[in-house]
């Protein structure tokens, strides 16, 4: 596990975008695993900039997002499909049918693990981007999630609902369920890049660095993966020894 500490979220975004651009240069039809939330926004800005500068094309790229809320109306502006279109896909030359978000349609919720099958059929994820929850979640795999879990319908913890309330009018509007790739699904990726910025992520980063893999801190599962890069800012790194 390589840890790269940089000054601020912008530097984290630049470095992370560089890794994704290199992956696409090496394999123009790369399969990318993507995340939503605040942490990836600087990375997405950098990818859009690089595309506009003709540095990278997403024409043959396929993407699979980690998760989607359950219970929102189709087209809701809080959905992760909306987030990804607005913050990334609409600004690239990617073909929308090549962008995948876990389906929350009634039929799909009966067999959410079919998403893992879809990823496998596409050839598996080459580079997976992850954010980090304050409680150590990756995707929406909350503390206690089994390390071998596949894509499933999950309940969000009160701490995750509170953390995500900033995107809604008030906390009561935040969905309590989501479909999320499992920890086992995430671990199938060939390479994983986790980004974390801000003081509120420093405790989870400390557990990632200091603990043996354990289900109380889901992110520690990454210690069992052979190709992981952690990119954090000074604030997120503030509880680890230099
Ligand atoms: C989002 C996701 C979550 C977030 C995490 C951090 O697709 O899977 O695990 O990455 O909650 O969110 P931010 O970046 O908003 O702090």
């Amino acid at each position: 596990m390589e840890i790269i500490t940089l000054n601020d979220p912008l530097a984290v975004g630049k470095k992370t975008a560089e890794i994704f651009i290199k992956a696409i240069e090496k394999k123009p039809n790369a399969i990318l695993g993507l995340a939503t939330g605040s942490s990836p926004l600087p990375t997405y800005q950098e990818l859009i900039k690089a595309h506009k500068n003709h540095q990278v094309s997403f024409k043959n790229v396929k993407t699979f997002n980690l998760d989607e809320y359950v219970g929102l109306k189709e087209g809701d502006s809080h959905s992760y499909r909306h987030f990804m279109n607005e913050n990334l896909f609409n600004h690239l030359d990617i073909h929308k049918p090549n962008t995948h978000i876990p389906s929350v349609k009634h039929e799909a919720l009966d067999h959410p693990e079919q998403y893992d099958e879809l990823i496998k059929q596409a050839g598996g994820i080459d580079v997976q981007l992850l954010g980090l929850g304050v409680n150590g979640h990756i995707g929406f795999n909350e503390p206690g999630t089994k390390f071998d879990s596949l894509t499933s319908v999950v309940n969000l913890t009160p701490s995750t609902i509170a953390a995500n309330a900033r995107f809604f009018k008030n906390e009561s509007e935040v969905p309590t369920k989501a479909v999320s790739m499992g920890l086992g699904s995430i671990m199938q990726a060939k390479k994983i890049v986790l980004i974390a910025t801000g003081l509120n992520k420093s405790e989870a980063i400390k557990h990632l660095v200091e603990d043996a893999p354990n289900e109380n801190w889901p992110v520690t599962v990454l210690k069992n993966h052979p190709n992981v890069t952690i990119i954090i800012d000074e604030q997120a790194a503030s509880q680890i020894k230099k």
Side-chain angles (χ1 to χ4, degrees), residues 65-119:
N65 261 78
L66 284 164
D67 37 28
E68 178 61 288
Y69 285 124
V70 173
L72 296 176
K73 291 213 182 78
E74 211 176 318
D76 190 301
S77 64
H78 296 100
S79 72
Y80 284 169
R81 161 54 74 188
H82 183 86
F83 177 98
M84 290 307 298
N85 285 348
E86 289 289 310
N87 290 297
L88 187 65
F89 301 147
N90 287 351
H91 311 282
L92 304 176
D93 59 347
I94 198 160
H95 295 297
K96 283 275 170 60
N98 285 344
T99 67
H100 304 273
I101 313 269
S103 171
V104 291
K105 290 213 174 95
H106 195 61
E107 323 78 74
L109 292 183
D110 287 340
H111 294 287
E113 70 289 347
Q114 282 175 353
Y115 194 64
D116 296 300
E117 208 40 55
L118 204 63
I119 295 173

Side-chain angles (χ1 to χ4, degrees), residues 2-120:
E2 183 193 13
I3 301 183
I4 302 173
T5 305
L6 300 168
N7 278 342
D8 51 37
L10 204 62
V12 169
K14 283 200 166 123
K15 180 73 197 164
T16 309
E18 240 171 58
I19 294 174
F20 277 82
I21 292 166
K22 273 201 194 122
I24 299 168
E25 276 168 359
K26 203 166 133 205
K27 187 179 172 193
N29 61 348
I31 313 286
L32 308 180
L34 299 179
T36 58
S38 305
S39 312
L41 288 175
T43 302
Y44 294 162
Q45 284 296 319
E46 289 299 321
L47 290 178
I48 293 167
K49 219 193 285 172
H51 169 63
K52 297 228 148 85
N53 293 337
H54 308 286
Q55 223 185 309
V56 62
S57 168
F58 291 78
K59 233 190 330 225
N60 297 309
V61 165
K62 283 190 183 146
T63 66
F64 288 88
N65 261 78
L66 284 164
D67 37 28
E68 178 61 288
Y69 285 124
V70 173
L72 296 176
K73 291 213 182 78
E74 211 176 318
D76 190 301
S77 64
H78 296 100
S79 72
Y80 284 169
R81 161 54 74 188
H82 183 86
F83 177 98
M84 290 307 298
N85 285 348
E86 289 289 310
N87 290 297
L88 187 65
F89 301 147
N90 287 351
H91 311 282
L92 304 176
D93 59 347
I94 198 160
H95 295 297
K96 283 275 170 60
N98 285 344
T99 67
H100 304 273
I101 313 269
S103 171
V104 291
K105 290 213 174 95
H106 195 61
E107 323 78 74
L109 292 183
D110 287 340
H111 294 287
E113 70 289 347
Q114 282 175 353
Y115 194 64
D116 296 300
E117 208 40 55
L118 204 63
I119 295 173
K120 219 184 272 170

Side-chain angles (χ1 to χ4, degrees), residues 74-229:
E74 211 176 318
D76 190 301
S77 64
H78 296 100
S79 72
Y80 284 169
R81 161 54 74 188
H82 183 86
F83 177 98
M84 290 307 298
N85 285 348
E86 289 289 310
N87 290 297
L88 187 65
F89 301 147
N90 287 351
H91 311 282
L92 304 176
D93 59 347
I94 198 160
H95 295 297
K96 283 275 170 60
N98 285 344
T99 67
H100 304 273
I101 313 269
S103 171
V104 291
K105 290 213 174 95
H106 195 61
E107 323 78 74
L109 292 183
D110 287 340
H111 294 287
E113 70 289 347
Q114 282 175 353
Y115 194 64
D116 296 300
E117 208 40 55
L118 204 63
I119 295 173
K120 219 184 272 170
Q121 280 165 14
I125 289 173
D126 293 300
V127 195
Q128 172 71 56
L129 179 63
L130 295 177
L132 174 63
V134 173
N135 62 2
H137 74 215
I138 51 176
F140 274 136
N141 296 288
E142 303 285 30
T145 306
K146 295 265 169 282
F147 277 3
D148 60 358
S149 56
L150 295 179
T151 301
S152 68
V153 180
V154 296
N155 293 313
L156 305 185
T157 60
S159 102
T160 297
I161 291 170
N164 288 2
R166 68 191 194 279
F167 296 111
F168 293 79
K169 259 203 232 113
N170 56 59
E171 200 170 310
S172 65
E173 284 185 11
V174 185
T176 55
K177 283 181 189 296
V179 182
S180 176
M181 283 171 65
L183 295 174
S185 325
I186 292 169
M187 290 289 281
Q188 296 295 314
K190 289 160 202 149
K191 176 175 179 62
I192 296 177
V193 180
L194 177 131
I195 52 177
T197 54
L199 268 187
N200 64 342
K201 304 294 169 72
S202 61
E203 189 188 0
I205 289 294
K206 178 180 155 76
H207 283 281
L208 170 60
V209 172
E210 294 181 2
D211 294 6
N214 73 90
E215 288 171 5
N216 294 330
W217 289 92
V219 66
T220 58
V221 73
L222 299 182
K223 288 186 140 167
N224 295 333
H225 192 284
N227 190 352
V228 176
T229 303

